[in-house]
Amino acid sequence: MTTTTRPRSQARAARDGFAQLLRAEWTKFRTVRGWTIGLVVALLVIPAFGLLFAANSFSSCMQGTKEVACPVPPTGPGGEAVNDKFFFVHQPLTGDGTITARVASLSGTITYPPPNHDKIVPGNTPWAKAGLMIKEGLEQGSSYAAVMVTAKHGVRMQHDFTEDAAGSASAPGGRWLKLSRSGDTITGSESADGRTWSTVSTVRMDDLPDTVQIGLFVASPDDMTLTGNSLGGSISTSRLANATATFDNVTPSATGEWTRTDVGVTLGPDGHTPHRPGEATQSGDTFTVTGNGDIAPVTADGVRYSSILTGTLAAMIAVTVVAVMYITAEYRRGMIAITMLASPRRHRAIAAKAVVIGSVTLAGALVATVATIAVSLPILRDNGNFILPISFLTQARIVGGTAALLAVTAVFALGLGVIFRRSAAAIVTTFALIVLPYILATTSLLPTGPAQWLLRLTPAAAFAVQQSMPSYPHVLTSESPLEGYFPLPAWAGFGVLCIYAALALGVAIHRLRSRDV
Amino acid sequence: MDATIEVSGLRKRFGQVLALDGMSFTVRPGQVTGFVGPNGAGKSTTMRVILGLDTADEGTALVGGMPYPKLRNPLSEVGALLDAGALQPSRTARNHLLWLAHSQGLSAKRVDEVAELMGLGGAIRRRAGGYSLGMRQRLGIAAALLGDPAVLMLDEPFNGLDPEGILWVRGFLRSLAREGRAVLVSSHLMSELQDTAEHLVVVGRGQVVADTAVSRLIAAASNGRVTLRTPSRESAMETLSPAGAIVTVTGPDTLVIEGMEAERVVSLLTRDAVPFAEVSAHRATLEEAYMDLTRASVEFHGGAGR
């Protein structure tokens, strides 16, 4: 054997690391101008849509003939926008105490507006409620706990707007209720006869002041019906509703003086006449209380964060094209062979590609989404819009989740690119699996049922990361994809996409290993 | 790593076509080994199997004693040029070399070195898509040299080169071999390898037809025959036969002498004063030797070659 004398200059300095492959794939990506420009343009779509939306959304309210700033809903203890409107017959309570009453009856009226109806009919909406409440104060949005009967949902214990626990499914009439404070603990109980009590729920309320308001309340959300339209989807109609409850056996009956407060009542155009007032009458220990409105989170009537990010879909289309080209260009030119020469362990080359396209998209999309929200929110506010407040964590989930949604979609598209080796097939398949189901499910094209199944089974489920409003069982809203509600929680929907992406990469690597390049 | 390529008993079938049928040979360091055979003989497939791109149905291919896919920084062990057109056209030549360098942990400095070496110079920052075939071949060789590998495999590197380029590459390959590298160069034209390869692996129909030094191949093809035209046929035979030549009468005044070089024939005839009209040594060209070898194995099966 001839001895080799050739110099081995720097070749020996080379290390065998995945980091090298990452660097190589990054160099590949950044040195094709079409791809970098494509990705930047794809991500610029997000702020473009956001700004267009913000600049074209105006909101103003009339009071009589006057244009005024729209009223902003109060916020609850958790920072969420809330409805806090009910009739309250109350007295202060300092320290521990208990209130007991029997709801003798719950009735009400529903007003059908023109044009099809113009009449008032007796009846209650399902969530019409009457019961006992302990509330921090009389300001809207202040902390509270309440045990109540409802027209159709049995006995409930609710507190601080978002929390709801079910008691028995009893009909509202003739039910005994009890609400006790013991330090920071509030216990709601119910009874059929006023002697045998069962606890509905016990809640801890740390920030309750020493003196609170305790008493009887009645509220009734407006009636809403959802009717399917011919194309699927639904139309909601709303009708005004009032509820009237008769309370008897109210204890403490003698102690203190009862104050009546129409919490959250709005004033008419003249500025002093209450609009849709409630009322209460007392006869011995029997009270008849009429109220309307609701004590619950606001889920409609405001701008949602997801509306600002509607550019996500268009960005996704462009990101898909870039991600697919990133691999199929290599097949088209035969360059894949060189890639495999440089990394004969083929799965590593594809893994490096996936990490690069995923990270680049994630980083870029994160900048795009954060900037879009940051710039759009002030414009929307300037235009008089109310933005439904959401917690910082939810904001982070929407912004980060949207970026992650695009990043994992890019990885998914890359996997399909390896499987098909051709741009057209890979792009079309990605669209068919993500973009199309999302469009079908979130426009009025499909009824809610099939739309929800699409958003469970296809990778489009991952758009759940953009759901801005939680779904509250005790708030009647149209929880369809059309309204921005997803059948899966954000993490699960995102998980569906991740599973698809992992499957695509798995099949891609299998095919890559089992075939000649 | 030993600078060798060892191929042993490779078989591979593409559908109906048996592309490799027991291909076996060894490439040693320090010389340029020509890998020749007609189109479709299995040269490219063999190279792709050695590089782990294609999987053989049977047999082994080792580079420096290891299967290519087991190499850690493969481009620092083996440099290969398979298809000069395998480029992203919108990427500059320099960036093409740069990502390859990064994949092996090599620096941008090395990129500029090999580009300089291959005479790419100012064109290095142009898009590779605008390169002529000749420029792409140079870029491909530059890529093969990036990792300063002990083994080089070049598939048809002369394609598209101008005559000056061919000369330059020939010299360059010889100098690489002199540095102790194993250099395997495939070509379907034997003339391209003339004066470059010292060793030849001639293939046809997926098998090795000849695995020999170039000098021996030519000698074998020439077979040392000397043709003699003389009016004194009998005297010539009396002079040459005892001296060890095998003399065959092929015409009234023509003899063919085997086993003796022309110079010795002339000196013996002169010594014995035998008149002769012409002594001609028959020396085969590499081309002829190759044609002899491959005549039997040329196949015209369109589309089967890789």
Side-chain angles (χ1 to χ4, degrees):
Chain A
M1 177 81 28
T2 318
T3 43
T4 63
T5 53
R6 67 201 185 77
R8 309 275 340 222
S9 53
Q10 29 185 321
R12 279 294 166 224
R15 287 161 295 108
D16 166 45
F18 187 61
Q20 289 171 198
L21 289 182
L22 283 181
R23 189 165 180 217
E25 287 299 334
W26 164 239
T27 305
K28 268 190 203 172
F29 183 82
R30 70 176 172 79
T31 54
V32 174
R33 199 175 295 164
W35 300 344
T36 45
I37 292 176
L39 190 67
V40 168
V41 168
L43 297 175
L44 281 177
V45 166
I46 298 175
F49 273 60
L51 288 175
L52 265 179
F53 170 75
N56 290 304
S57 298
F58 295 94
S59 167
S60 64
C61 292
M62 302 297 283
Q63 192 168 43
T65 53
K66 243 184 355 197
E67 193 176 323
V68 295
C70 289
V72 168
T75 49
E80 67 286 333
V82 296
N83 282 312
D84 199 8
K85 179 173 178 353
F86 56 98
F87 203 89
F88 198 20
V89 178
H90 57 97
Q91 56 180 269
L93 169 71
T94 302
D96 297 346
T98 297
I99 182 170
T100 311
R102 188 178 79 107
V103 183
S105 67
L106 177 66
S107 60
T109 56
I110 299 173
T111 307
Y112 284 82
N116 297 333
H117 299 279
D118 193 4
K119 57 183 177 185
I120 296 173
V121 297
N124 281 122
T125 58
W127 280 104
K129 54 194 77 160
L132 313 175
M133 180 185 286
I134 282 176
K135 193 165 169 69
E136 181 187 354
L138 296 173
E139 311 76 47
Q140 283 185 296
S142 62
S143 191
Y144 75 94
V147 63
M148 67 201 76
V149 298
T150 64
K152 291 279 155 38
H153 294 281
V155 176
R156 318 292 289 201
M157 170 120 179
Q158 298 180 347
H159 70 282
D160 288 353
F161 305 96
T162 55
E163 308 307 311
D164 171 57
S168 74
S170 316
R175 202 75 188 159
W176 291 76
L177 299 173
K178 183 163 73 177
L179 191 64
S180 319
R181 176 181 190 186
S182 170
D184 290 337
T185 307
I186 314 288
T187 306
S189 315
E190 60 171 314
S191 167
D193 51 15
R195 286 189 294 274
T196 321
W197 292 90
S198 59
T199 301
V200 179
S201 181
T202 300
V203 298
R204 223 186 127 73
M205 302 182 73
D206 290 334
D207 297 326
L208 226 44
D210 197 36
T211 298
V212 294
Q213 297 297 323
I214 189 166
L216 316 168
F217 81 95
V218 173
S220 173
D222 290 338
D223 190 28
M224 188 176 78
T225 49
L226 303 172
T227 42
N229 70 21
S230 55
L231 276 170
S234 59
I235 297 168
S236 70
T237 22
S238 179
R239 287 170 291 274
L240 305 179
N242 278 298
T244 302
T246 310
F247 297 87
D248 55 19
N249 296 293
V250 178
T251 54
S253 56
T255 54
E257 235 177 68
W258 294 102
T259 312
R260 291 154 201 203
T261 305
D262 205 347
V263 176
V265 72
T266 52
L267 301 177
D270 60 5
H272 49 82
T273 313
H275 175 60
R276 294 180 71 200
E279 59 176 6
T281 55
Q282 182 179 3
S283 157
D285 66 351
T286 302
F287 293 78
T288 303
V289 183
T290 297
N292 55 52
D294 201 4
I295 313 162
V298 171
T299 54
D301 305 328
V303 173
R304 294 180 184 174
Y305 277 65
S306 55
S307 318
I308 303 169
L309 296 176
T310 44
T312 307
L313 190 70
M316 176 178 278
I317 292 172
V319 164
T320 297
V321 172
V322 173
V324 165
M325 298 295 288
Y326 181 42
I327 178 70
T328 54
E330 293 208 9
Y331 279 109
R332 188 158 158 231
R333 310 284 173 190
M335 216 182 84
I336 189 75
I338 300 184
T339 300
M340 295 306 154
L341 287 185
S343 169
R345 285 175 292 170
R346 299 177 183 175
H347 62 284
R348 286 163 54 103
I350 292 306
K353 263 194 161 22
V355 170
V356 166
I357 194 71
S359 322
V360 169
T361 309
L362 183 71
L366 206 52
V367 172
T369 49
V370 170
T372 304
I373 295 285
V375 175
S376 302
L377 283 183
I379 298 176
L380 280 165
R381 290 205 182 93
D382 282 353
N383 288 350
N385 298 287
F386 169 68
I387 293 132
L388 282 169
I390 51 177
S391 70
F392 177 74
L393 277 181
T394 309
Q395 292 180 38
R397 188 247 294 153
I398 292 172
V399 166
T402 299
L405 163 67
L406 290 170
V408 179
T409 301
V411 172
F412 179 53
L414 178 83
L416 292 177
V418 178
I419 293 171
F420 290 112
R421 298 183 172 199
R422 299 213 190 294
S423 322
I427 291 171
V428 166
T429 306
T430 314
F431 287 178
L433 285 172
I434 308 189
V435 177
L436 188 64
Y438 179 73
I439 292 174
L440 285 176
T442 56
T443 52
S444 296
L445 291 169
L446 281 182
T448 302
Q452 287 184 329
W453 277 109
L454 276 183
L455 294 178
R456 282 189 188 102
L457 299 178
T458 70
F463 275 93
V465 298
Q466 293 194 327
Q467 180 171 324
S468 311
M469 279 291 114
S471 156
Y472 297 108
H474 58 292
V475 181
L476 180 63
T477 42
S478 165
E479 294 188 351
S480 65
L482 184 60
E483 303 291 330
Y485 287 90
F486 288 82
L488 292 179
W491 63 268
F494 184 62
V496 171
L497 173 63
C498 289
I499 289 171
Y500 272 89
L503 273 177
L505 274 189
V507 173
I509 286 171
H510 175 75
R511 292 193 76 162
L512 205 56
R513 279 174 159 175
S514 59
R515 282 179 170 192
D516 292 342
V517 174
Chain B
M1 190 185 99
D2 290 338
T4 58
I5 302 170
E6 297 156 273
V7 171
S8 167
L10 293 185
R11 264 173 223 286
K12 184 166 179 71
R13 183 176 281 284
F14 293 110
Q16 290 293 303
V17 181
L18 192 58
L20 300 181
D21 184 12
M23 180 76 72
S24 301
F25 63 89
T26 299
V27 178
R28 297 185 190 291
Q31 59 185 10
V32 175
T33 301
F35 193 33
V36 284
N39 285 328
K43 301 186 299 290
S44 293
T45 304
T46 303
M47 286 186 155
R48 292 175 60 85
V49 170
I50 294 169
L51 294 168
L53 296 174
D54 287 2
T55 313
D57 303 332
E58 273 176 55
T60 55
L62 302 177
V63 195
M66 293 244 276
Y68 186 90
K70 291 250 186 295
L71 299 176
R72 281 307 171 247
N73 280 300
L75 301 192
S76 299
E77 314 283 359
V78 184
L81 166 64
L82 291 182
D83 172 10
L87 294 162
Q88 175 72 29
S90 55
R91 194 179 277 132
T92 67
R94 185 172 188 279
N95 283 331
H96 175 73
L97 294 175
L98 192 62
W99 79 255
L100 270 172
H102 286 163
S103 77
Q104 309 297 304
L106 301 169
S107 67
K109 192 170 142 254
R110 179 67 189 154
V111 166
D112 296 328
E113 279 173 21
V114 291
E116 192 63 35
L117 196 63
M118 290 310 297
L120 290 168
I124 194 72
R125 289 182 191 274
R126 289 204 337 243
R127 290 177 173 213
Y131 271 28
S132 65
L133 183 53
M135 289 290 279
R136 288 181 192 201
Q137 293 285 13
R138 283 170 186 257
L139 178 58
I141 296 172
L145 291 172
L146 257 185
D148 191 17
V151 174
L152 275 168
M153 290 175 52
L154 311 174
D155 196 6
E156 304 277 358
F158 302 105
N159 271 3
L161 292 181
D162 51 27
E164 193 191 353
I166 291 176
L167 273 179
W168 184 83
V169 171
R170 280 178 177 172
F172 186 64
L173 294 180
R174 280 197 303 267
S175 73
L176 288 172
R178 271 200 301 277
E179 289 170 1
R181 294 175 220 258
V183 182
L184 181 66
V185 182
S186 85
S187 175
H188 65 288
L189 296 175
M190 187 63 116
S191 56
E192 287 177 344
L193 295 173
Q194 191 123 33
D195 308 326
T196 310
E198 295 147 74
H199 195 88
L200 282 180
V201 174
V202 183
V203 293
R205 291 186 180 172
Q207 289 175 322
V208 174
V209 176
D211 182 351
T212 177
V214 169
S215 53
R216 225 180 292 162
L217 183 70
I218 290 172
S222 315
N223 206 15
R225 279 174 296 173
V226 176
T227 307
L228 174 67
R229 286 189 338 115
T230 171
S232 322
R233 213 168 62 182
E234 304 304 317
S235 340
M237 287 173 77
E238 280 164 22
T239 300
L240 298 172
S241 290
I246 301 161
V247 185
T248 315
V249 180
T250 54
D253 60 350
T254 319
L255 298 174
V256 169
I257 299 135
E258 288 175 78
M260 183 175 286
E261 289 180 10
E263 290 81 357
R264 180 136 171 83
V265 171
V266 171
S267 75
L268 285 174
L269 293 178
T270 310
R271 186 194 68 192
D272 294 350
V274 180
F276 59 92
E278 183 190 343
V279 176
S280 60
H282 178 90
R283 184 178 163 82
T285 63
L286 193 52
E287 194 79 36
E288 280 175 296
Y290 168 64
M291 293 305 285
D292 274 357
L293 279 169
T294 55
R295 195 162 290 128
S297 45
V298 176
E299 273 184 296
F300 297 99
H301 41 181
R306 285 192 59 151

